[in-house]
Amino acid sequence: MSTIPLSNPAPHPRRERFTRLGRRAVLRLGGGLLVLWAVATLTFFALRLMPGDPVLAILGGASGNPTPETIAEATREYGLDKPIGVQYLVYLGHLVQGDLGVSYSQHQPVTQVLAEQSGPTLQLTLASLALAWLLVLALTVLTAGRQQWLGRLASLAETLAAALPNFWLGILLLAVFAFGLRLFPPAGSDGWRTLILPSLALAIPLAGFIGQVTRESLELTLDQPFILTARTRGLSDVAVRFKHALRHAVLPGLSLSGWAIGALISGAVVIEVIFSRKGLGRQLYQAVQAQDLPLTIGISLVVAAGYVVANLLVDLLYHWIDPRLEPAA
């Protein structure tokens, strides 16, 4: 008696989808490791090519009047007497082991500095990104596809916002709302009130960029047949925009959010100096001035890692929202 072979059960669509996203995440993480290696390499050689002697930075600068014997001892201790290629390989070996070294200027482990300064920068970055999207939803989503004059006015506001430099906007907000109206503290990192002006300085230009892309996509989406079908079912205009149109129109703006993380962290370098905030941006500015190689590379790696992780999450979220981008099984 012959038996009929049982066919293999079809893979569950959700499980297959997670598998494809997992493969994509592994590939993106591999590319992210290459990015981190490139950042460490470029930062290492760029600081080595800068004028000045890093040994003097280690010993507290020229004002410390170190003796030739002290300079020679520090040079040997930190391996700066070796060829630059050997220094590079030694430093890469330490990085692979998770050893970021000791800060020349602060004389404490770089990991400790990063642990103390990452929190305020992360808080500022996330608050700015959330505020930027709030401005986009309030201005772009509610005005796109309405009266022509209203759309043009909102589009002009987005263009002007995107053109504003972070540092100029930060100084303006500081002068008006901190020194003029005295509504917010001009400096510091303690409390939510110290976060509002720096977040606005970073969020407003970013909202202009995202709003321009989202508006164009939303106006095209509002002309699609499925939107007309949703309207005929008696849904309000706001419900149609947020429940149906926004999911499709938000994809281009969402893809920009990964880039936005890097832009916000870059802008934080200036904003944290202007508002005298704690954070990686201000530390990076001071580390470059002091030729603090371990701290500069450590902060650069953290910023690059944040950028890689943010782009990975945005990419996976993009493919999760829009399954059409996934290859057929």
Side-chain angles (χ1 to χ4, degrees), residues 140-162:
T140 305
V141 178
L142 294 178
T143 61
R146 297 192 184 276
Q147 291 91 340
Q148 190 174 14
W149 67 269
L150 182 60
R152 287 183 177 179
L153 185 62
S155 180
L156 177 62
E158 292 163 359
T159 303
L160 292 177

Side-chain angles (χ1 to χ4, degrees), residues 136 140 155 158-160 162 207-217:
V136 169
T140 305
S155 180
E158 292 163 359
T159 303
L160 292 177
F209 279 111
I210 297 178
Q212 288 175 317
V213 176
T214 304
R215 175 177 299 279
E216 181 179 358
S217 178

Side-chain angles (χ1 to χ4, degrees), residues 219-268:
E219 289 176 346
L220 292 174
T221 303
L222 289 173
D223 292 332
Q224 298 301 313
F226 73 91
I227 296 296
L228 178 60
T229 303
R231 294 186 190 277
T232 58
R233 284 160 40 195
L235 294 178
S236 65
D237 182 67
V238 174
V240 169
R241 288 171 180 265
F242 281 93
K243 290 184 178 181
H244 296 276
L246 185 60
R247 178 175 180 178
H248 298 270
V250 79
L251 292 176
L254 184 63
S255 65
L256 280 178
S257 295
W259 160 84
I261 297 294
L264 289 174
I265 296 177
S266 300

Side-chain angles (χ1 to χ4, degrees), residues 9-11 15 18-19 21 23 35 61 79 94 99 105 108 130 138 156 209 214 233 261 281 325 329:
R15 184 181 304 170
F18 274 117
T19 301
L21 288 176
R23 293 196 197 102
V35 171
H94 290 164
D99 181 11
S105 58
Q108 57 180 344
L156 177 62
F209 279 111
T214 304
R233 284 160 40 195
I261 297 294
L325 298 176

Side-chain angles (χ1 to χ4, degrees), residues 41-216:
T41 300
L42 291 175
T43 307
F44 178 90
F45 286 104
L47 289 179
R48 281 289 186 260
L49 294 175
M50 286 180 61
D53 189 352
V55 178
L56 292 180
I58 296 172
L59 298 176
S63 58
N65 295 322
T67 63
E69 293 77 11
T70 304
I71 294 176
E73 182 180 353
T75 301
R76 288 191 301 270
E77 179 181 353
Y78 286 91
L80 298 176
D81 57 335
K82 300 176 182 178
I84 190 169
V86 176
Q87 296 180 39
Y88 170 69
L89 293 177
V90 170
Y91 196 82
L92 279 186
H94 290 164
L95 288 181
V96 171
Q97 299 173 16
D99 181 11
L100 298 178
V102 177
S103 169
Y104 294 165
S105 58
Q106 302 190 27
H107 304 290
Q108 57 180 344
V110 171
T111 52
Q112 181 178 342
V113 179
L114 296 177
E116 295 173 353
Q117 302 295 331
S118 296
T121 298
L122 182 62
Q123 184 184 49
L124 176 61
T125 301
L126 294 180
S128 302
L129 185 61
L131 184 57
W133 269 106
L134 185 63
L135 292 174
V136 169
L137 295 178
L139 180 64
T140 305
V141 178
L142 294 178
T143 61
R146 297 192 184 276
Q147 291 91 340
Q148 190 174 14
W149 67 269
L150 182 60
R152 287 183 177 179
L153 185 62
S155 180
L156 177 62
E158 292 163 359
T159 303
L160 292 177
L164 293 176
N166 294 124
F167 71 91
W168 180 87
L169 185 57
I171 294 174
L172 179 64
L173 293 173
L174 194 63
V176 175
F177 294 101
F179 297 127
L181 300 177
R182 299 183 183 275
L183 296 177
F184 300 100
S189 308
D190 301 322
W192 63 270
R193 296 180 72 247
T194 63
L195 188 62
I196 293 179
L197 294 184
S199 298
L200 280 173
L202 291 173
I204 290 176
L206 178 60
F209 279 111
I210 297 178
Q212 288 175 317
V213 176
T214 304
R215 175 177 299 279
E216 181 179 358

